[in-house]
Structures are given as structure tokens and as C-alpha cells.
């Protein structure tokens, strides 16, 4: 045979052998599987068990670290000490600050006997609300404040873009619609209505019912070309050109509105708190508690009659040197557009609580393999984990946290569902962060109460009961939050020598609309001077 022929014979033989082998293997291998697989599976399970034990251990260690960091400052004695330091900070800013502890013109609280119909206006970032409110006097049934009509007008992008006077024309035409309804209801043709305005943008108030418009922010162009003009005049000019028979009697900010609306119902009201995505508080203080320069230019008439004044605290800005933070808070703060600007707000409000948790979770994912080390969808986006989602963890009473799991996975889809101990981990850390928020809030309010008490010359033990009027999604809806804040407040009050329950938190529903109405009727009755 030639070598060439031998070569081809080999090729054919190889091919035949290989195909036989392949056929043989395809029969043999599957029959081997039931024998081999359990061996491998057992091995895999063993490795997984070991890994999971290590993981549980490191998760436990991590959870303990987080717990220690959040709980360390939340001891009654320490909070009491922080309150003392906050009182110093408040007093300092009451003497001189142009951005916090700002006195309004409001120097009386409602008696609760004011009566009449008022058109209340509430301009916020995304809605303009207008309400026809009847004040009936508290002696009657209910709380004496009645909404007869309320309408929400969405401030869409197009409206937000209306420049200067065009925005106020838009407002006036909505006011006109409400007047038509009022006249229809009241059986009148041209009733004259007093208006109160809750304005949640910066203004420099110049009297109870006037104020210079400052930069609005939040995407609004209403200040365009009219910055520094008088807000009341802008609204009234627009209303007059439509022949509307209205008069603007009061302009209030959100904190003052909340205080006034609750004071109408409950004469013990001396403070207010707004706690939602953001926060603020107001307090009723003796005029002498503030430095004279803080009042700017005011008529002698005002000083002649004013004994006390509603103060807009801008409480969110306090606490930088007082409230202890964790590394996650510090991380949030240093990545913030305005680091250090609102230290208290960054620790307690709805905008930030979820974000603090997100930062803890990201660390747990990368260091101890939470969620198998995989970042769920969108969890790596700043502020993507909402406080609302965290709230479902705290309210979930099911043994396997199914509601929380569903809420979490719908906001942040992931390949395999979170395990129960991972869900419990999130819930427990959420609880730590929200308890601390309640503690810091209680401390800040206690300090405000203590400053008020001492500036009135009252010993804490003699202080009569004070109501704090509360509004905002966080204080209203976050599970157990108000109850926890109250508990911390009670302890702090008794440490001060006052009775537990010396200060109580009460919800003031619809506070902007009611507050604007109450302010207008106080002014109409000559309370403004
Ligand atoms: C708070 O505690 C520190 C140290 O323990 C102490 O020096 C300080 O005086 C306390 N401050 C107040 C206001 O109680
Ligand atoms: C509503 O009608 C009553 C009686 O018809 C009238 O006395 C009252 O002044 C009207 N309201 C306003 C704001 O004009």
C-alpha cells in the first residue's frame, strides 16, 4: 500500500471510532448522572452552608455595628444634654441671625371666637389650593372650622413657566371661579370676601399682609421681572383688573399657619411642627426674647401693641455641632448639594430617612454580600429608596414580611427575591434610624419649649400644658413616629422637672388652608395693627 492510501484508511478508521465513542458516551453519561450528581450536590450544599454561616455571622456583626452607631446617642441623659446645647444655639440665633428665628408680624393668637367666611389660598410647589372656609366660633359643635368648598388647581409645568404678572393673573382667574361659587352658595351677587394666603416660598414680610417677593425656586418664573415687588399688590392688581371683590388680609408661612389653625381649636397651642419631606417649626415668644435688630423696620404702632410674636424658627438649620452622626449621615451630607445647610433636616425628614437606609444597604451589599452581593435595580441611584418604602417595613406585621418584600421588589426589582433574614435586616435598621429621628426631633422640640418657658420667666415645674400643632406626611403617617416622638418628649420634660405630658403633639389637619383663614379673620378683627 502506498503511504497515501494508508493515510486515508487511518482517517476513515478514526472517524468510525469517534462516532462509535460518541454514541456510547451519549448512552453511558446520562446513566452516570444519578450516581454522580448527589455527590456533587452534597458538596455544593456543604460549601453553601459554610458560606451562609459565615455570611450570617458577618451580617450579625455588621448589624451590631449599625445598631451601636444609631443607638449610642439615643439615651435620655444624652438627649437631655443635647437639648441644653440646642437651647444655647436657639438663644444665640434669637439674638442675631438673618436666616433663622425670624419674627413674623403676627402678635396675637386667635381666641377661637372669630367668625365669618374667608377665602383661604395656599400656594405650594405643585398645587394651588383655594378654600371657602367658615369660621363658626369654637363654642359651637365640632372645632368651629368648616371647609365649605375646596379646590385644588394643579400647577403644571406650563403654569410654573408663566412669567411675573401672568402667573398672578392665572391665580386671579381661579380666585374668580371660587367667588362665583361663593356668591351662588350665599345667595349674593357681589359679596366682599377677605382672603388669607399661605405662601410657601421665600418673602421678606413688610406687614401682616404684605411682603416683598424673593427668588421663588422650585422651577417657578412668577418672580420674573417683578422680584422685590409686593406680593399682596401683585395679587390684588390682578384681582382688581377682573373686578373681583376681595381683599388680602394676611400672608403666613407654613409654620405660622399650622400654629394659628390649631390655636383656634386649642388655646394651649404655642408651637407648631411641619414634618414631611422637609421640616419647619414655629413658636410663640415674648417680643423681648428676640434681638431688636431682628425685627427690621416696623412701625411704632406694632411695638406698642405687640407683646408676643409668632417666630418662624427654620429649625431644620440647627444642630450641626450638637447632634451626633454616623458615617452614613456624613456620607449623605458631604454628597449633598448644600452640605451642613440643614443638619436636623438631613437626619429626620422623609426626604432623607430612606437615603440613609440606602447608604447602609449599599455598604452591606458590598461588604457582607447582602442580596448575594447584587445591587437591586435603581438602588444605586441617590435618593431612589423612598422613605415610603421603608415605612412598609415598619408597618408590616406579617411573619414573613410579604408586604414589605412586595413594596421593595416593585421599587427595586432583583433577580432572586430577598430572603427573610435580609428583609428583617432592612426593617431593623429602618427602625433604628426612625427611632433616632424621633429622638432628635423630640430633643429639638424640648429645647424650643425650654427656651419659651424660660423667656416667659416660668419654672419648668410650673409650666402649664403646651400643645404642638403638627402637620406633614412623616408625622402623620410614618408608623408609630408621632408616638415615639411623644415618648421621648415625655422623658425629656420629666427630666426638666415638668410633668410628663407637659408638651403634647396634636395633629392639625388641613393646616395651611385653615391657618390662612384664621390669620385673615384675626387681621380683619384688628389683631394685626
Ligand atoms: C453635656 O455633657 C458634657 C460632657 O459630658 C458637659 O461638659 C456639658 O456641660 C453638658 N452640657 C449640658 C448643657 O448639659
Ligand atoms: C352672605 O350672605 C349674607 C346674607 O345673605 C350676608 O349677610 C353676608 O354678608 C354674605 N357674605 C359676604 C362675605 O358678603
Amino acid at each position: 500500500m502506498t503511504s497515501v492510501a494508508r493515510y486515508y484508511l487511518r482517517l476513515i478508521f478514526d472517524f468510525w471510532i469517534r462516532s462509535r465513542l460518541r454514541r456510547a458516551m451519549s448512552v453511558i453519561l446520562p446513566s452516570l448522572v444519578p450516581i454522580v450528581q448527589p455527590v456533587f450536590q452534597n458538596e455544593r450544599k456543604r460549601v453553601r452552608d459554610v458560606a451562609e454561616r459565615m455570611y450570617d455571622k458577618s451580617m450579625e456583626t455588621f448589624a451590631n455595628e449599625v445598631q451601636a452607631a444609631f443607638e449610642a446617642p439615643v439615651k435620655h441623659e444624652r438627649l437631655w444634654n443635647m437639648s441644653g446645647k440646642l437651647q444655647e444655639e436657639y438663644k444665640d440665633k434669637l439674638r442675631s441671625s438673618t436666616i433663622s428665628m425670624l419674627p413674623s408680624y403676627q402678635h396675637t393668637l386667635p381666641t377661637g371666637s372669630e367668625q365669618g367666611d374667608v377665602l383661604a389660598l395656599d400656594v405650594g410647589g405643585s398645587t394651588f389650593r383655594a378654600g371657602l372656609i367658615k369660621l363658626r366660633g369654637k363654642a359651637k359643635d365640632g372645632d368651629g372650622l368648616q371647609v365649605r368648598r375646596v379646590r385644588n388647581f394643579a400647577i403644571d409645568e406650563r403654569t410654573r413657566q408663566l412669567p411675573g404678572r401672568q402667573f398672578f393673573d392665572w391665580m386671579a382667574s381661579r380666585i374668580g371661579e371660587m367667588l362665583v361659587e361663593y356668591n351662588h352658595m350665599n345667595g349674593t351677587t357681589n359679596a366682599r370676601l377677605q382672603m388669607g394666603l399661605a405662601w410657601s416660598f421665600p418673602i421678606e414680610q413688610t406687614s401682616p399682609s404684605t411682603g416683598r417677593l424673593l427668588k421663588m425656586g422650585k422651577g417657578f418664573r412668577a418672580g420674573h421681572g417683578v422680584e422685590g415687588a409686593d406680593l399682596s399688590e401683585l395679587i390684588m392688581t390682578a384681582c382688581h383688573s377682573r373686578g373681583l371683590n376681595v381683599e388680602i388680609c394676611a400672608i403666613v408661612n407654613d409654620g405660622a399657619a399650622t400654629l394659628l389653625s390649631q390655636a383656634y381649636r386649642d388655646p394651649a397651642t404655642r408651637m407648631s411642627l411641619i414634618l414631611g419631606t422637609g421640616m419647619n417649626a414655629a413658636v410663640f415668644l415674648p417680643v423681648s426674647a428676640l434681638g431688636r435688630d431682628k425685627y427690621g423696620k416696623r412701625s411704632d404702632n406694632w411695638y406698642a401693641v405687640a407683646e408676643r410674636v409668632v417666630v418662624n424658627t427654620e429649625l431644620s438649620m440647627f444642630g450641626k455641632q450638637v447632634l451626633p452622626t454616623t458615617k452614613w449621615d456624613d456620607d449623605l451630607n458631604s454628597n449633598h448639594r448644600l452640605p451642613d445647610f440643614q443638619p436636623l433636616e438631613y437626619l429626620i425628614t422623609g426626604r432623607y430617612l430612606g437615603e440613609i437606609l440606602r447608604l447602609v444597604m449599599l455598604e452591606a451589599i458590598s461588604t457582607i454580600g447582602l442580596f448575594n452581593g447584587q445591587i437591586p435595580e435603581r438602588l444605586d441611584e441617590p435618593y431612589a429608596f423612598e422613605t415610603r418604602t421603608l415605612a412598609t417595613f415598619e408597618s408590616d406585621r406579617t411573619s414573613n414580611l410579604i408586604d414589605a418584600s412586595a413594596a421593595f421588589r416593585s421599587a427595586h426589582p432583583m433577580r432572586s427575591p430577598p430572603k427573610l433574614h435580609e428583609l428583617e435586616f432592612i426593617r431593623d435598621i429602618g427602625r433604628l434610624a426612625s427611632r433616632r429621628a424621633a429622638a432628635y426631633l423630640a430633643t429639638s422640640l424640648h429645647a424650643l419649649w425650654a427656651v419659651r418657658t424660660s423667656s416667659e420667666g416660668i419654672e419648668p415645674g410650673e409650666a402649664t400644658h403646651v400643645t404642638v400643632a403638627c402637620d406633614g406626611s412623616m408625622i402623620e403617617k410614618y408608623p408609630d413616629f408621632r408616638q415615639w416622638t411623644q415618648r421621648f418628649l415625655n422623658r425629656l420634660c420629666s427630666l426638666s422637672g415638668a410633668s410628663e405630658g407637659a408638651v403634647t403633639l396634636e395633629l392639625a389637619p388641613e393646616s395651611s388652608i385653615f391657618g390662612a383663614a384664621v390669620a385673615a379673620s384675626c387681621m380683619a378683627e384688628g389683631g394685626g395693627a
Side-chain angles (χ1 to χ4, degrees), residues 53 82 156 182 199 201 205 217 277 322 385 429 469 523:
R53 266 203 304 280
M82 290 178 215
D156 57 16
Y182 179 77
W199 183 256
F201 300 91
Q205 205 132 6
T277 48
V322 180
F385 183 67
I429 292 174
M523 290 306 150

Side-chain angles (χ1 to χ4, degrees), residues 117 182 186 188 191-193:
D117 293 329
Y182 179 77
N186 200 46
T188 38
R192 181 173 180 78
L193 269 185

Side-chain angles (χ1 to χ4, degrees), residues 36-186:
V36 175
Q37 207 178 29
V39 178
F40 277 118
Q41 260 180 354
N42 273 340
E43 185 56 22
R44 234 182 9 220
K45 185 166 179 338
R46 214 179 57 77
V47 169
R48 201 173 54 211
D49 283 353
V50 170
E52 237 163 49
R53 266 203 304 280
M54 281 170 60
Y55 170 61
D56 282 355
K57 183 115 186 9
S58 60
M59 185 164 221
E60 202 182 308
T61 315
F62 184 77
N64 287 341
E65 264 172 46
V66 179
Q67 180 170 6
F70 280 98
E71 272 185 353
V74 186
K75 304 279 180 289
H76 294 120
E77 302 294 329
R78 277 197 75 180
L79 297 176
W80 161 250
N81 183 293
M82 290 178 215
S83 170
K85 292 181 192 156
L86 282 172
Q87 289 165 42
E88 292 312 311
E89 200 182 337
Y90 294 169
K91 285 182 196 158
D92 187 48
K93 301 292 188 239
L94 281 165
R95 278 187 292 270
S96 63
S97 163
T98 52
I99 55 170
S100 64
M101 296 295 177
L102 308 168
S104 68
Y105 279 79
Q106 195 84 37
H107 61 79
T108 52
L109 296 182
T111 60
S113 60
E114 295 81 358
Q115 295 193 8
D117 293 329
V118 180
L119 178 55
L121 312 173
D122 172 19
V123 182
S126 55
T127 320
F128 168 37
R129 304 187 76 206
L132 288 164
I133 310 297
K134 189 174 208 57
L135 290 86
R136 295 185 303 174
K138 192 171 43 193
K140 312 261 170 55
D141 54 326
D143 66 8
L145 289 169
Q146 185 199 351
V147 180
R148 300 185 72 190
R149 282 281 190 288
V150 66
R151 285 182 65 187
N152 296 330
F153 304 103
I155 301 180
D156 57 16
E157 192 48 34
R158 204 183 59 81
T159 311
R160 208 167 290 143
Q161 288 290 325
L162 292 175
R165 292 188 185 273
Q166 287 182 36
F167 178 81
F168 297 99
D169 281 338
W170 175 83
M171 268 181 77
S173 92
R174 307 284 88 79
I175 291 170
E177 292 170 30
M178 296 301 286
L179 270 188
V180 170
E181 279 197 45
Y182 179 77
N183 279 313
H184 185 69
M185 256 180 345
N186 200 46

Side-chain angles (χ1 to χ4, degrees), residues 214-258:
L214 303 177
K215 227 179 220 4
M216 283 178 77
K218 302 183 191 175
F220 278 80
R221 293 188 65 219
H224 191 80
V226 292
E227 232 165 75
D230 184 72
L231 177 58
S232 184
E233 188 270 336
L234 287 165
I235 295 172
M236 287 311 299
T237 303
C239 287
H240 283 149
S241 72
R242 285 168 188 271
L244 305 179
N245 195 6
V246 289
E247 180 194 5
I248 192 156
C249 295
I251 301 177
V252 286
N253 78 343
D254 52 359
T258 306

Side-chain angles (χ1 to χ4, degrees), residues 375-440:
I375 299 178
E377 247 174 66
R378 292 182 59 247
L379 202 67
D380 51 356
E381 279 174 31
Y383 296 92
F385 183 67
E386 294 184 48
T387 302
R388 194 153 50 124
T389 311
L390 183 60
T392 62
F393 279 83
E394 292 216 42
S395 60
D396 194 336
R397 299 281 179 262
T398 66
S399 59
N400 42 6
L401 295 176
I402 37 175
D403 300 338
S405 179
F408 185 64
R409 283 155 66 197
S410 91
H412 305 281
M414 50 209 292
R415 237 178 274 157
S416 50
K419 299 182 196 73
L420 180 58
H421 69 276
E422 294 176 320
L423 294 168
E424 287 168 342
F425 172 80
I426 299 173
R427 179 196 59 197
D428 295 348
I429 292 174
R431 207 169 265 172
L432 290 167
S434 69
R435 291 297 176 276
R436 184 190 63 165
Y440 284 1

Side-chain angles (χ1 to χ4, degrees), residues 80 446 449 459-463 491-500 502:
W80 161 250
H446 173 267
W449 168 80
E459 291 298 319
E462 298 160 359
R491 289 307 304 273
L492 288 166
C493 283
S494 65
L495 282 170
S496 301
S499 60
E500 284 209 358

